Amino acid sequence: MQRPGAPAPASAERTPRPREWRPQLYRKCTDTTWLFLFFLFWTGLMFITGYSVAAGATARLLFGYDSFGNVCGKKNSPVEGAPLSGQDMTLKKHVFFMNACNLEVKDVRLSSTILCVSSCPEEQLDTLEEVQLFADNNGSFLCVYSLDSINYTQNPNADSLCPSLPVPPSKSFPLFNRCVPRTPECYSSFASVLINDVDILHRILSGIMSGRDTILGLCILALALSLGMMFTFRFITTLLVQIFIALIISGLLLVCGVLWWLYYDYTHDLSIELDTERENMKCLLGFAIVSTVITAVVLSLIFVFRKRIKLTIELFQVINKAIGSSPFLLFQPLWTFAILIFFWVLWVAVLLSLGTAGAAQVIEGGQVEYQPLVGIRYMWWYHLIGLIWTSEFILTCQQMTIAGALATCYFNRNKNDPPDRPILWSLSILFCYHQGTAIKGSFLMTVTRIPRTILMYLHNALKDKQHGAWSRCMFRCCFCCFWCLDKCLRQLTQNAYTATAINGTDFCTSAQDVLKLSSKNSNHFTSVNCFGDFIIFLGKVLVVCFTVFGGLMAFNYNRVLQVWAIPLLLVAFFAYLVAHCFLSVFETVLDALLLCFAVDMETNDGSSEKPYFMDQEFLSFVKRIDKLNAARAQGEESSLRNEEGTELQAVV
């Protein structure tokens, strides 16, 4: 027994004192090292941007260029050693392939000579006389520039200087302003080389450019749907919930049915002989299977939670009341969306410049080809990491701003006198103290996404090679593991951001505090949080469903002319990202509200000395959730007792 006044034992001195929550009372700069690392990383991005502008030629990719180094539709500078370079192609905006029906790739370059022409031949030309007549009538010269149109039929080398006969009919298609053959047999060869056999970067850019108008329209549709869903959640009622669930069910069934119908239509189409149609058919089968699985899972979850509609309305009424203390939170996604759009446009522009960064090299016949510069591949990967990390950082800033504003309003004793400008206050706290924490959390999410991107790249690179069921199973297991890790870390980081906004601690300390606090209040976090996040997730699903449905209807009109799998995936990704950007306001408010409630319960006891910060409406809602969980647990226990009692009864 220790004597009074005696020193404490050594073990007691070494026992760490539990750290206390001090909401909104203490601030210091957190994770400053990561702020310096992010600055160094963006210094590298700025170098890549300057390098791409200096070494790249985006016009070559956007407008196309001929075999002699001339960009179509532009006035060009001469290349030393290439006599046919440096021509004025202002009136010649279309790219024409002299051997469009038999394109081949030899040593990473096309075997056909490419020219800039003023118009594409819309009718088939069977003889050189018809080629000459087409040049005289339309001013579009389909032979090499050094050969005058008068000599088309007289020059003995006309066979090698003019296009292969017959010249197929073609039309200008927004696939980098190329003259696309219209006959199925020629287009099959043309598409298989220019779409399937080229570099994956150019396939992605090709898909974006060929459907740029449709993609832009679908992105605007996704934006409008996201705004509609945000205001639906803001003024939600019983009727709106029922309409909302009915729209989700109909949207899922509609998209799933249309995908299977299009796949059936492709398989029974007599013209299914082109490589583009085969590629679209494979993608449709994959989309249909994935959509069927998602539809089955979501409909099952809706059936399980069907009896909680009343709780849904009460939950969103509590969330909307919290948003009502700072109504400008609903406009927070607008500036986030504007910054993301600006960054994405800049990122795509740099990507286009990197795709054309090459040194002009003169080869046989005075033709010019562009050799990729050393290190371009590594720059692409660095640029891709910059896209993911910076996008995550921008979204993280939105989450921390919303969490900080909500915490400022929550931990305010005088509810009748809310703090002035909580959003600006939260922004100032973020940029003065916690940028390093936002960077560290966004980097953690980037690290989980990079392996998934590499696995996807390897899967696409090896899909044409023979590999067994074991390797395919390993790929799928890795995808599932990284997906689960991404979801768990996203929830942890989001709560860590809120803890940082509340207590001013660094990322790791905040994550530890959240884990300890959530373990004590697991009944509140699991039941309320999961159910609220599920309803918000349904809103994102609704936006993606109707955007993808519009994309299916729009892209199906050009089923012969393009592989629209990449544009459709891009539209679906953009729709989900926009929906997440807007609807995550409610998700962040819900998570922050529950964490503030847990901190409130941890630091106060409801007495006159330590009253709760929460209002009575929120407290009564949480109590009803507790009673519901207790009643469900008691019902399961009583049913278990009845089963045990029945087994022990004596048989008379």
Side-chain angles (χ1 to χ4, degrees), residues 16 46 49 80 161 202 245 248 266 284 307 328 341 386 395 459 478 501 506 589 613-614:
M46 290 295 99
T49 302
E80 186 178 355
L161 300 177
H202 293 84
I245 293 177
I248 290 174
Y266 268 80
L284 276 175
K307 296 182 179 179
F328 286 101
I341 289 296
L395 293 174
H459 184 266
C478 291
D506 59 85
V589 168
F613 284 96
M614 73 189 79

Side-chain angles (χ1 to χ4, degrees), residues 23-24 322 325 403-415 419 502 592-601 604 612-615 618-619:
Q24 305 290 310
S325 60
L406 185 67
T408 302
C409 297
Y410 184 94
F411 294 104
N412 177 36
R413 289 294 183 187
N414 189 1
K415 300 298 182 183
I502 294 173
L593 195 62
L594 291 175
L595 189 59
C596 289
F597 164 77
V599 174
D600 197 6
M601 296 290 290
N604 302 298
Y612 291 127
F613 284 96
M614 73 189 79
D615 55 10
F618 182 49
L619 182 60

Side-chain angles (χ1 to χ4, degrees), residues 18 70-71 118 131 206 235 384 395 400 405 467 477 502 548:
N70 300 298
V71 178
S118 57
V131 174
S206 173
F235 306 102
L384 178 62
L395 293 174
M400 294 193 69
H467 51 280
C477 289
I502 294 173
V548 170

Side-chain angles (χ1 to χ4, degrees), residues 5 41 49 167 225 271 505 550 613:
F41 181 83
T49 302
V167 180
L225 290 173
S271 65
T505 51
F613 284 96

Side-chain angles (χ1 to χ4, degrees), residues 252-303:
L252 287 170
L253 295 176
L254 187 64
V255 171
C256 188
V258 168
L259 284 169
W260 283 112
W261 174 77
L262 286 176
Y263 176 70
Y264 175 82
D265 186 50
Y266 268 80
T267 54
H268 291 78
D269 192 353
L270 296 179
S271 65
I272 191 73
E273 297 180 355
L274 304 181
D275 291 337
T276 50
E277 291 185 299
R278 294 193 188 98
E279 190 76 18
N280 288 335
M281 187 176 66
K282 293 178 183 178
C283 295
L284 276 175
L285 179 60
F287 291 158
I289 294 174
V290 172
S291 66
T292 302
V293 174
I294 294 176
T295 301
V297 172
V298 173
L299 292 181
S300 301
L301 292 175
I302 291 175
F303 179 78

Side-chain angles (χ1 to χ4, degrees), residues 37-57:
L37 291 177
F38 194 63
F39 174 78
L40 291 180
F41 181 83
W42 257 90
T43 302
L45 284 182
M46 290 295 99
F47 171 77
I48 290 177
T49 302
Y51 180 82
S52 65
V53 172

